[in-house]
Amino acid sequence: MAINLEEKRSILEKRERELECIYSISDLFDLHVPLKSLLKGIMQRLQPAFLYSEVAEVCIVLDGDIYSTDRFEKNIHTLSSNIAVHGHKRGSIHISYSEERPYHDIGPFLKEEQRLLDVITSRLCKVIERKHVEEALLESEKRYRMIFDVSPLGIFVDNKGTISHCNRGFLNIFGVQKADVVGAEIFDYVNDEDLNRILAGISKDTNAFYENEYSARTAGREIHLKSYYVPLRNKDNSIYGGIGLLADITANKNSEEELENQKELLTSTFNALQDLIIVVDREMRVVTSNWNSDQIIPPQEGDQHPQMCDLFTHDLFPHDTCPVKDVFSTGRMKEFEHTDPVDDRVRDFRIFPVYDTKGDVAMAVSHIRDITERKQTEEALKRSTSDLELAYEELKSLDKLKDEFLSNLRHELNTPLTSIKGFSELLYDGTLGPLNDKQANAIERVVTKSRKLQNLIDSLLFISTNQNGNIRYNFEPVDISSVLNNAVNLFFDPMKEKNLRIHVDHTFDSCSVDADRTYLPQIFLNLMDNAVKFTPANGTITVSAHIEAEGIHVVIGDTGIGISEEDIPGLFKMFHQIDSSSTRTYGGNGLGLYISKVIVENHKGDIWIESEKGTGTDVHVYIPMKQDQFSASSSSPSVSCERPMPR
C-alpha cells in the first residue's frame, strides 16, 4: 500500500528528530564532561527524539544512583535499555510517558525508538569503559610516580651518560639540589670503570646490568654507596639511555660488628636447642653440632663433638644401611623413627641434604628429637578414637531404631486418632444427631485437642524425615498473595475470640514465586499461630509483603509480649521455648519456628526476628522468586514415599 504524503512527512520528521538526538549526544560524548553531567545531558537530549516528546520522561540508573526528569514514573509500558560495562550490568536507561498514549509497536513506543535507545546506551557503555581505562591509567601513573619519588633508593634516568631526571632519594644521598644534578654526567656520582668504558665506546660488553660498591665524600662526610645501572639498548645493542639505582650502605658497613654479635647470638641459640642438630660432611665428619643438648653418645672429654659421625655407624643400625650415606647418594631427605633398646626412648630422625653451588650434596643436616611422650599420647588417642568409633556405631544403631520407632508410632497413633477425629467431628457437626450446649462444648474441645495432637504427630514426623534427608520439594509457581490471605483467614475465629485487629498490606495484587505448594503455606501458618498466641486481647497483627531485589519480603508483626534480645538467637532451635516450665502461660511444642526455618532455607530464603520485650515482635521472611532448580530435597536426593505436613 502506497504511503501518502502526510505519512512520509511524519516519517521524515521522526527520522530528523532521531538524527538530531544522536548527533547532539555524540557531541556530548566528545566533550569529555564528568559522568554526572553527561547523564543529565543525555536525559535532556533524549526527550525530543520520541513521538510524544511533550510527555516523554527519562530516568537513568547507574551504580545505584538515579537521575530522572521531574515527572518520571516507571510503568508496564516503560521503554528500557541496560547499561553493561565489561559484561556486567551497571544500570539502565528508561523512557516512559507521563500520560496515556495510543499503542504502537512496543506499547505506546515505536521499534525505531527502541533501536535509538539501544544505540545511545551502547555508546554510553563505551564512554564509561573509556573513562574507567583513563582513570586506571591515571591511577597507575600516579602510583608509579609516587614509588619513584618516595623510594629510599636514589633513582636516576640518563640519556647515554647525562642525567635527565632523579628522585628525592638521590638528592638526599648527595645533599644537592635537583638543578645541580639534571644535565650532569653520571660519573660525577657513579664510580664504575666498566660502565665508563661501555658508555665511552671502548668496551663492547653487553651485560644486562652493572653494579659496584665504592666510597664517596659528600656534604663533609664519608659514605659507602652501592650502584646498579641498567642500560637501555637498541636492537643493535647500542645504548641510548639507562636507569640507575644508588643505595647508601654506610649503615651496613658500620653494622659488621653488630652482625658478629648476631652471629654469636644465633650460635648460642643453636647450642641451646633441646633437639639435637648435627651437620656432617661427605667424609662423615661432624662439621658442627649442639651435642650438649641431647647426648645420645657422649663425646670424648674436651671435644665439642665427635670427629666422626659415630651416631650413624653400625652401633645404632648394625644390620641396616647408614641413613646419612643414603642422603649423600640419593640427594633426598631421610626420615625415620628409632627406639633405643637400652632406655626404650623413641627418637625421630630427619636428615636433610645441603647443596653447593654446583647442585651436589655437600653436607647433611641431621635433626633428632625425642618423641617418646608424643608416641605415648598418640597411642592413647588411637585407643580413644577406637572407643569413639564403637560409640558412634552404637549411636547410629540407636538413631535408626528411633526413626523406625517414630515411623511406627505415627501409624499406630494415626489409626485410633483418625477414628477419634472423624466421629468427634461428626458429633460436632450434628450429623449423628443434635447435642445440648454442654455436649457441644465438650465435643468441640475433643475436636480441637485431636487436631493439635495430629499437628504434633505430623511435626515430629517432618523433623525425623528432614534429618534423614527424605523430604522432597516440588517447585512450581505459587501465588504468594493467596498463600498469605489463606493463612490470615484460617485464624479468623481465634482472632475474633481475642478481639484482635488484623492489617494486611501487599504492594502487589498478585505475585508468583517458585515454591512447594504444600510446604510454603506452613511457614506463614506457624508464624500466624505464634502471633495470635502471644498477642493479648485487643492487640494488633500486621501482615505486609513487598518485592525486594529478586524475591518477596514478608513481615508478620504483632503487639504481643515481645522477646528479649538474649532470647532471640535460640528461637529457631528444635524444641526451644523461652518458658519451658510445666506451668508456662503459653502452650506449644517449640517446633513451629524450627520447621519454618527449615522450609525457608530449603527454598533458598532467609528468616529472622526483630523484637523487644513488651513491645511486640516482627518476623521477617525472604523467599527468592526464582529457584536454581525445579526440585530439591532437604539434604539428600532420596525420595520419600510420603510428604509429612508440619504444623
Side-chain angles (χ1 to χ4, degrees), residues 376-389:
Q376 293 172 349
T377 302
E378 289 176 354
E379 291 297 326
L381 284 174
K382 286 181 181 179
R383 291 192 296 269
S384 299
T385 302
S386 178
D387 294 341
L388 287 173
E389 288 176 351

Side-chain angles (χ1 to χ4, degrees), residues 421-449:
K421 286 176 58 181
F423 285 112
S424 60
E425 288 173 355
L426 289 173
L427 287 170
Y428 182 69
D429 293 339
T431 305
L432 301 181
L435 302 176
N436 58 39
D437 291 342
K438 290 185 178 181
Q439 291 171 337
N441 290 334
I443 289 299
E444 182 182 4
R445 297 189 65 182
V446 172
V447 170
T448 302
K449 296 300 181 181

Side-chain angles (χ1 to χ4, degrees), residues 35 178 182 213 238 244 283 302 338 353 390 426 455 509 582:
L35 187 58
K178 191 171 185 178
V182 176
E213 291 186 13
S238 61
E283 302 301 324
H338 178 265
L390 291 174
L426 289 173
N455 291 338
D509 295 330
S582 59

Side-chain angles (χ1 to χ4, degrees), residues 13 129 133 135 163 205 353 387 410 424 430 468 475 500 502 506 564 571 575:
E13 290 176 354
E129 290 178 357
V133 171
E135 291 173 358
I163 298 176
D205 190 6
D387 294 341
R410 178 179 182 270
S424 60
N468 294 332
F475 292 104
L500 301 180
I502 179 75
H506 300 171
S564 61
L571 290 177
F575 300 112

Side-chain angles (χ1 to χ4, degrees), residues 34-52:
L35 187 58
K36 184 176 181 180
S37 300
L38 174 63
L39 297 178
K40 291 182 177 179
I42 291 174
M43 287 177 8
Q44 295 172 357
R45 288 162 174 78
L46 264 179
Q47 287 173 300
F50 285 81
L51 186 60
Y52 305 108

Side-chain angles (χ1 to χ4, degrees), residues 247-393:
D248 187 345
I249 60 172
T250 306
N252 294 340
K253 290 292 184 180
N254 295 335
S255 64
E256 290 182 357
E257 182 179 349
E258 181 63 25
L259 288 175
E260 286 297 324
N261 294 336
Q262 291 293 329
K263 182 179 178 181
E264 289 294 330
L265 177 61
L266 290 174
T267 301
S268 300
T269 304
F270 174 72
N271 291 329
L273 292 174
Q274 293 302 309
D275 295 342
L276 177 59
I277 309 295
I278 303 175
V279 183
V280 183
D281 63 14
R282 295 190 66 88
E283 302 301 324
M284 297 295 288
R285 291 190 295 265
V286 177
V287 177
T288 185
S289 74
N290 60 339
W291 197 268
N292 292 332
S293 65
D294 186 357
Q295 296 184 358
I296 297 178
I297 299 178
Q300 297 295 324
E301 185 176 355
D303 291 342
Q304 183 180 359
H305 48 248
Q307 295 302 311
M308 298 296 291
C309 188
D310 298 328
L311 179 62
F312 301 108
T313 62
H314 292 292
D315 294 338
L316 187 58
F317 304 100
H319 304 295
D320 299 329
T321 306
C322 178
V324 177
K325 293 181 179 179
D326 282 348
V327 171
F328 279 112
S329 61
T330 63
R332 293 193 296 270
M333 185 194 82
K334 190 82 172 179
E335 183 177 7
F336 58 91
E337 294 178 3
H338 178 265
T339 303
D340 193 324
V342 177
D343 57 7
D344 291 329
R345 304 296 293 180
V346 183
R347 295 180 175 88
D348 178 63
F349 289 76
R350 296 185 182 185
I351 308 171
F352 303 89
V354 179
Y355 298 92
D356 58 19
T357 56
K358 298 179 181 179
D360 298 327
V361 181
M363 290 182 292
V365 179
S366 304
H367 174 260
I368 307 166
R369 171 175 292 178
D370 190 325
I371 59 170
T372 306
E373 287 75 12
R374 192 188 78 187
K375 297 298 288 186
Q376 293 172 349
T377 302
E378 289 176 354
E379 291 297 326
L381 284 174
K382 286 181 181 179
R383 291 192 296 269
S384 299
T385 302
S386 178
D387 294 341
L388 287 173
E389 288 176 351
L390 291 174
Y392 176 68
E393 292 299 326

